[in-house]
Amino acid sequence: MKIVAYMAQSLDGFIAGVNGELDWLETIENPEGSDFGFAEFMDSVDALLMGRNTFEKVLSFGMWPYNKPVYVASNSLLEVPEELACKAHIISGELQSMLSQMQQQGINTVYLDGGKLFQSALRSGVLNEMTITSVPVALGQGISLFGDLENQVQLKLESSEVLLNQLVKTKYRVVHQQG
């Protein structure tokens, strides 16, 4: 099973403001409406595993942007809104258990979305690659992308590109230590 992440971060390493604000992402001038390769990325995955906080943030957008199955990692949510009954599913347990359940359903490539899930995947060594787009803004504080890691995580640069002459999109492969 391949586990991948696709995230945006401020230059100082935050994925959202202190209260989950994402308004800083809307300051990017994008006159041609580029999706920065997101559709191509989505074509490469079978399903999403999304944290509850991220799910609730997506719900606040007023439209459902995904055409792939979404699994919402939560030990507290009991159901998804009725209009998403066929599109999103609650899944609970430890990360490894959730991934095993998804793999048993024939899912081979999972897009992991959400800060806590991302950090958990890094700590447990299941994340295979990450695409991080750095936005030229310093938030000063907020929700950290990497959080406090107990151990170093070695990464191998796969690619890097400048978008709209202001964003830096970087793809890394996680180097798993043999031991």
Side-chain angles (χ1 to χ4, degrees):
M1 182 175 235
K2 184 176 180 182
I3 313 301
V4 297
Y6 193 102
M7 310 282 278
Q9 71 170 1
S10 64
L11 198 56
D12 53 351
F14 297 106
I15 57 173
V18 175
N19 297 308
E21 306 92 333
L22 297 175
D23 56 334
W24 54 278
L25 290 171
E26 297 168 15
T27 63
I28 302 163
E29 290 186 29
N30 186 3
E32 295 176 14
S34 172
D35 75 346
F36 309 116
F38 187 70
E40 181 180 354
F41 168 77
M42 285 299 291
D43 286 344
S44 73
V45 304
D46 299 320
L48 287 81
L49 178 59
M50 179 180 293
R52 181 187 54 83
N53 292 336
T54 302
F55 176 67
E56 290 175 352
K57 179 57 83 173
V58 171
L59 289 178
S60 76
F61 298 158
M63 52 80 75
W64 189 247
Y66 306 108
N67 61 3
K68 303 274 177 139
V70 173
Y71 292 82
V72 181
S74 178
N75 292 315
S76 59
L77 279 180
L78 300 176
E79 59 186 29
V80 297
E82 190 175 320
E83 65 272 14
L84 297 177
C86 295
K87 298 175 183 178
H89 318 278
I90 304 295
I91 191 168
S92 61
E94 296 297 318
L95 179 59
Q96 292 281 20
S97 170
M98 291 185 286
L99 292 172
S100 291
Q101 291 174 57
M102 293 173 73
Q103 190 171 30
Q104 289 169 7
Q105 295 177 33
I107 296 168
N108 295 312
T109 304
V110 176
Y111 164 22
L112 201 80
D113 195 11
K116 290 178 184 175
L117 277 176
F118 176 82
Q119 292 169 12
S120 179
L122 271 178
R123 281 193 298 274
S124 65
V126 300
L127 189 66
N128 299 107
E129 66 184 40
M130 63 180 88
T131 300
I132 309 294
T133 301
S134 295
V135 179
V137 62
L139 298 180
Q141 57 185 342
I143 300 170
S144 171
L145 174 59
F146 291 96
D148 294 328
L149 296 171
E150 293 113 25
N151 298 300
Q152 290 182 4
V153 176
Q154 297 297 317
L155 306 172
K156 181 174 184 331
L157 178 67
E158 295 287 316
S159 64
S160 186
E161 65 181 305
V162 176
L163 305 168
L164 299 176
N165 207 28
Q166 59 183 327
L167 308 172
V168 179
K169 178 179 166 183
T170 310
K171 182 177 178 179
Y172 297 98
R173 182 173 43 83
V174 180
V175 179
H176 296 286
Q177 304 299 323
Q178 303 300 323

